[in-house]
Amino acid sequence: MDMKNLYRQVIMEHHKNPLNKGLVDDENYELVHLNNPSCGDDIKVQVKIENNIITDIRHDGQGCSICCSSGSVMSDVLKNLKVDEVLILINDFYKLLTGNNPNNPNLKEAVVFEGVSLFPARVRCATLAWKALEQAIINIKSKENL
Ligand code: ZN
């Protein structure tokens, strides 16, 4: 099996059986809702940070297979990491999606989205959940600084 098929299989598997899907009713989570009008993707991401560690990431919503599977992969790869580490990984994921693979081994399964960089119209599908998480982290940080 070539890498392209392997990558496609990982994306379809996460689309079928998403990890960390479904929101929780808990005020300790920060929620960000983003959409992508060009594709119809509409997702919500929730994050919980404790002692500078991302202890939980939840996601829910509707979208194409790239968007939904990216939310699942994102929640799996970034959970239980330090906030600063996660912000670097989010940035490295954006680089990957613009065709500049940062070769960061900590991106793990997220590298399967590298091929999306060849389809600029779909890049927002792949990055939407990551942007929502980034915004949620920024929101939490700004609250803490009050
Ligand atoms: Zn999409």
Side-chain angles (χ1 to χ4, degrees):
M1 188 191 296
D2 67 22
M3 290 303 276
K4 241 189 235 167
N5 280 332
L6 176 69
Y7 283 7
R8 192 176 307 138
Q9 211 170 53
V10 171
I11 291 172
M12 291 320 291
E13 186 55 36
H14 274 272
H15 180 51
K16 256 193 291 175
N17 300 306
L19 304 170
N20 305 301
K21 187 163 164 104
L23 302 180
V24 292
D25 186 9
D26 183 336
E27 61 183 19
N28 294 311
Y29 284 72
E30 178 71 21
L31 173 78
V32 168
H33 182 189
L34 287 183
N35 58 48
N36 175 18
S38 68
C39 178
D41 304 318
D42 185 291
I43 60 161
K44 290 175 178 162
V45 170
Q46 272 182 320
V47 62
K48 189 179 185 184
I49 298 177
E50 290 168 289
N51 299 321
N52 242 2
I53 308 234
I54 309 263
T55 53
D56 198 15
I57 303 171
R58 313 289 313 173
H59 63 98
D60 205 0
Q62 288 173 341
C64 62
S65 57
I66 291 174
C67 176
C68 294
S69 61
S70 179
S72 173
V73 169
M74 178 276 284
S75 67
D76 193 38
V77 169
L78 301 182
K79 203 163 147 177
N80 297 318
L81 299 180
K82 286 184 186 158
V83 173
D84 292 346
E85 221 175 323
V86 164
L87 289 171
I88 291 168
L89 283 168
I90 291 172
N91 223 356
D92 280 350
F93 187 71
Y94 297 159
K95 286 184 195 158
L96 184 78
L97 268 289
T98 50
N100 302 298
N101 190 340
N103 293 313
N104 184 339
N106 296 328
L107 280 173
K108 296 181 182 165
E109 271 194 315
V111 297
V112 301
F113 294 97
E114 185 179 11
V116 177
S117 65
L118 299 172
F119 306 94
R122 308 305 299 278
V123 167
R124 188 160 166 85
C125 301
T127 56
L128 196 64
W130 298 67
K131 284 186 188 298
L133 178 71
E134 185 180 31
Q135 187 58 52
I137 292 171
I138 291 168
N139 291 354
I140 290 171
K141 282 192 161 201
S142 67
K143 279 182 198 167
E144 282 173 351
N145 289 338
L146 281 176

mmCIF file of all heavy atoms in Angstrom, residues 36 39-41 63-67 122 124-126, ligand 1:
data_model
loop_
_atom_site.group_PDB
_atom_site.id
_atom_site.type_symbol
_atom_site.label_atom_id
_atom_site.label_comp_id
_atom_site.label_asym_id
_atom_site.label_seq_id
_atom_site.Cartn_x
_atom_site.Cartn_y
_atom_site.Cartn_z
ATOM 1 N N ASN A 36 -16.862 27.239 8.140
ATOM 2 C CA ASN A 36 -16.140 27.363 6.882
ATOM 3 C C ASN A 36 -17.183 27.413 5.776
ATOM 4 O O ASN A 36 -17.579 26.381 5.244
ATOM 5 C CB ASN A 36 -15.220 26.133 6.734
ATOM 6 C CG ASN A 36 -14.522 26.105 5.406
ATOM 7 O OD1 ASN A 36 -14.424 27.104 4.708
ATOM 8 N ND2 ASN A 36 -14.017 24.938 5.039
ATOM 9 N N CYS A 39 -17.254 25.414 2.398
ATOM 10 C CA CYS A 39 -17.472 23.961 2.338
ATOM 11 C C CYS A 39 -18.691 23.535 3.135
ATOM 12 O O CYS A 39 -19.237 22.470 2.922
ATOM 13 C CB CYS A 39 -16.228 23.243 2.851
ATOM 14 S SG CYS A 39 -16.332 21.454 2.889
ATOM 15 N N GLY A 40 -19.140 24.396 4.072
ATOM 16 C CA GLY A 40 -20.268 24.033 4.919
ATOM 17 C C GLY A 40 -19.855 23.412 6.238
ATOM 18 O O GLY A 40 -20.689 22.920 6.983
ATOM 19 N N ASP A 41 -18.562 23.398 6.512
ATOM 20 C CA ASP A 41 -18.095 22.850 7.791
ATOM 21 C C ASP A 41 -18.498 23.777 8.927
ATOM 22 O O ASP A 41 -18.382 25.000 8.810
ATOM 23 C CB ASP A 41 -16.567 22.714 7.814
ATOM 24 C CG ASP A 41 -16.052 21.885 6.662
ATOM 25 O OD1 ASP A 41 -16.674 20.862 6.349
ATOM 26 O OD2 ASP A 41 -15.025 22.285 6.085
ATOM 27 N N GLY A 63 -19.448 18.512 9.055
ATOM 28 C CA GLY A 63 -18.524 18.958 8.039
ATOM 29 C C GLY A 63 -18.127 17.818 7.132
ATOM 30 O O GLY A 63 -18.625 16.700 7.251
ATOM 31 N N CYS A 64 -17.212 18.120 6.234
ATOM 32 C CA CYS A 64 -16.737 17.109 5.301
ATOM 33 C C CYS A 64 -15.807 16.138 6.030
ATOM 34 O O CYS A 64 -15.432 16.362 7.186
ATOM 35 C CB CYS A 64 -16.013 17.788 4.145
ATOM 36 S SG CYS A 64 -14.546 18.701 4.664
ATOM 37 N N SER A 65 -15.423 15.093 5.353
ATOM 38 C CA SER A 65 -14.595 14.068 6.001
ATOM 39 C C SER A 65 -13.250 14.634 6.440
ATOM 40 O O SER A 65 -12.720 14.246 7.481
ATOM 41 C CB SER A 65 -14.392 12.877 5.065
ATOM 42 O OG SER A 65 -13.808 13.297 3.863
ATOM 43 N N ILE A 66 -12.695 15.575 5.676
ATOM 44 C CA ILE A 66 -11.392 16.148 6.051
ATOM 45 C C ILE A 66 -11.530 16.942 7.347
ATOM 46 O O ILE A 66 -10.735 16.809 8.272
ATOM 47 C CB ILE A 66 -10.842 17.048 4.917
ATOM 48 C CG1 ILE A 66 -10.466 16.198 3.714
ATOM 49 C CG2 ILE A 66 -9.633 17.858 5.393
ATOM 50 C CD1 ILE A 66 -10.042 16.977 2.496
ATOM 51 N N CYS A 67 -12.574 17.751 7.435
ATOM 52 C CA CYS A 67 -12.790 18.591 8.611
ATOM 53 C C CYS A 67 -13.033 17.744 9.856
ATOM 54 O O CYS A 67 -12.412 17.948 10.896
ATOM 55 C CB CYS A 67 -13.978 19.516 8.343
ATOM 56 S SG CYS A 67 -14.416 20.524 9.759
ATOM 57 N N ARG A 122 -9.312 23.233 0.183
ATOM 58 C CA ARG A 122 -9.653 22.346 1.287
ATOM 59 C C ARG A 122 -8.797 22.593 2.529
ATOM 60 O O ARG A 122 -9.017 21.950 3.558
ATOM 61 C CB ARG A 122 -9.494 20.875 0.870
ATOM 62 C CG ARG A 122 -10.210 20.496 -0.403
ATOM 63 C CD ARG A 122 -11.697 20.819 -0.383
ATOM 64 N NE ARG A 122 -12.467 20.131 0.654
ATOM 65 C CZ ARG A 122 -12.909 18.878 0.531
ATOM 66 N NH1 ARG A 122 -12.669 18.183 -0.542
ATOM 67 N NH2 ARG A 122 -13.607 18.338 1.507
ATOM 68 N N ARG A 124 -8.699 25.039 4.594
ATOM 69 C CA ARG A 124 -9.467 25.509 5.751
ATOM 70 C C ARG A 124 -10.251 24.359 6.400
ATOM 71 O O ARG A 124 -10.466 24.371 7.611
ATOM 72 C CB ARG A 124 -10.397 26.667 5.369
ATOM 73 C CG ARG A 124 -11.057 27.284 6.601
ATOM 74 C CD ARG A 124 -11.580 28.680 6.382
ATOM 75 N NE ARG A 124 -12.471 29.094 7.455
ATOM 76 C CZ ARG A 124 -12.073 29.637 8.609
ATOM 77 N NH1 ARG A 124 -10.802 29.836 8.826
ATOM 78 N NH2 ARG A 124 -12.949 29.985 9.532
ATOM 79 N N CYS A 125 -10.680 23.383 5.599
ATOM 80 C CA CYS A 125 -11.354 22.199 6.162
ATOM 81 C C CYS A 125 -10.436 21.517 7.164
ATOM 82 O O CYS A 125 -10.852 21.144 8.262
ATOM 83 C CB CYS A 125 -11.683 21.192 5.065
ATOM 84 S SG CYS A 125 -12.753 21.814 3.760
ATOM 85 N N ALA A 126 -9.176 21.345 6.776
ATOM 86 C CA ALA A 126 -8.231 20.595 7.612
ATOM 87 C C ALA A 126 -7.772 21.387 8.827
ATOM 88 O O ALA A 126 -7.434 20.810 9.852
ATOM 89 C CB ALA A 126 -7.029 20.171 6.777
HETATM 90 ZN ZN ZN B 1 -14.749 20.868 4.483
#
